[in-house]
Amino acid sequence: MIEVYLAVKRRNNQFSCFKISKKIHSKETRREIKYFKFLKRKGVTSSFIPAFISDFETEEEIIIEQELIADHPEQDLFAFRVEEFVADASGRQLMELEKLFQELYTELKDKNVIISDLHAGNMMIYCDKAGNIKRLIVVDGFGSPEAIPLAKYFGYFGRKKIDRQWAKFRRTFEATWERRRGGKPTIHF
């Protein structure tokens, strides 16, 4: 699927971006919109979910407006893709990342948040100037692709799906680690 992200500065000086998909390739985007609205109705919020602002359509496109995850030097925050961050991360940073992964897993299960495409390439972190990790954010793949998404509505099925997705994430993270750092991961989550 081809998606385009455009950054815009909003009037109140907060940043957002538009995730734009052609309607003919918008199945995942439509699923994410429904899921973001579902989470909003349920009152589910989390620091690892980018803020959903709105959605709208043009004649050929469907668009999600959401929080922009990018460098914000005025707030002393710098964004990195997790996939690339692990290559040069210090031991202290890796311990922080391990802790955030554990917190993410716990929160996914506690709040029954379904992410269908969980991998390091779909995750960003914010660091301050000193390199301290301030936030982990999953930027894509929200919702369940099944025609009847039982995991979305029933915690029992949700926890089972989250466990399967998490096991898959651990395997893909190990491959990312080997590609970026070499050897087996020194963090465990």
Side-chain angles (χ1 to χ4, degrees):
M1 176 170 61
I2 298 172
E3 296 173 336
V4 177
Y5 293 86
L6 298 174
V8 295
K9 190 171 185 178
R10 296 177 53 78
R11 274 185 274 140
N12 60 3
N13 227 12
Q14 292 182 350
F15 288 87
S16 68
C17 68
F18 294 124
K19 180 178 176 181
I20 303 170
S21 300
K22 294 288 185 188
K23 284 186 176 178
I24 59 172
H25 301 291
S26 65
K27 187 175 182 179
E28 181 180 322
T29 302
R30 290 181 187 281
R31 181 181 70 233
E32 284 189 351
I33 290 169
K34 282 183 181 179
Y35 196 66
F36 282 137
K37 289 179 177 181
F38 171 78
L39 292 175
K40 190 173 188 173
R41 278 192 312 274
K42 284 182 53 179
V44 174
T45 60
S46 172
S47 67
F48 74 82
I49 300 173
F52 171 74
I53 299 166
S54 67
D55 67 285
F56 53 96
E57 295 184 24
T58 66
E59 191 173 307
E60 297 180 11
E61 300 158 331
I62 185 164
I63 301 160
I64 298 176
E65 183 180 6
Q66 64 187 47
E67 173 186 6
L68 172 64
I69 310 301
D71 290 348
H72 296 288
E74 72 283 355
Q75 298 172 12
D76 189 30
L77 290 175
F78 302 91
F80 301 91
R81 285 182 63 213
V82 169
E83 181 176 48
E84 295 158 356
F85 180 79
V86 298
D88 298 316
S90 69
R92 176 186 55 80
Q93 289 172 320
L94 292 172
M95 287 177 24
E96 290 176 28
L97 185 60
E98 177 180 34
K99 182 179 178 237
L100 286 170
F101 282 161
Q102 291 166 349
E103 290 172 5
L104 171 62
Y105 176 65
T106 299
E107 195 163 338
L108 288 173
K109 290 187 81 167
D110 288 350
K111 294 183 177 183
N112 197 41
V113 174
I114 309 300
I115 302 172
S116 61
D117 194 15
L118 192 61
H119 61 82
N122 276 349
M123 294 180 177
M124 300 284 292
I125 56 167
Y126 274 130
C127 291
D128 64 15
K129 283 182 186 174
N132 300 308
I133 299 174
K134 297 299 182 183
R135 182 177 170 202
L136 172 69
I137 309 107
V138 179
V139 295
D140 200 19
F142 290 93
S144 188
E146 295 85 13
I148 302 173
L150 294 176
K152 175 179 167 180
Y153 298 107
F154 301 101
Y156 172 80
F157 296 110
R159 287 186 296 278
K160 295 288 187 189
K161 183 169 187 67
I162 291 164
D163 284 339
R164 286 190 307 275
Q165 291 296 90
W166 196 257
K168 182 179 173 185
F169 167 59
R170 290 176 66 176
R171 288 189 304 275
T172 61
F173 185 79
E174 186 171 313
T176 296
W177 184 284
E178 289 173 5
R179 198 172 52 254
R180 299 291 181 166
R181 291 185 75 96
K184 296 286 182 193
T186 58
I187 63 174
H188 306 283
F189 49 89

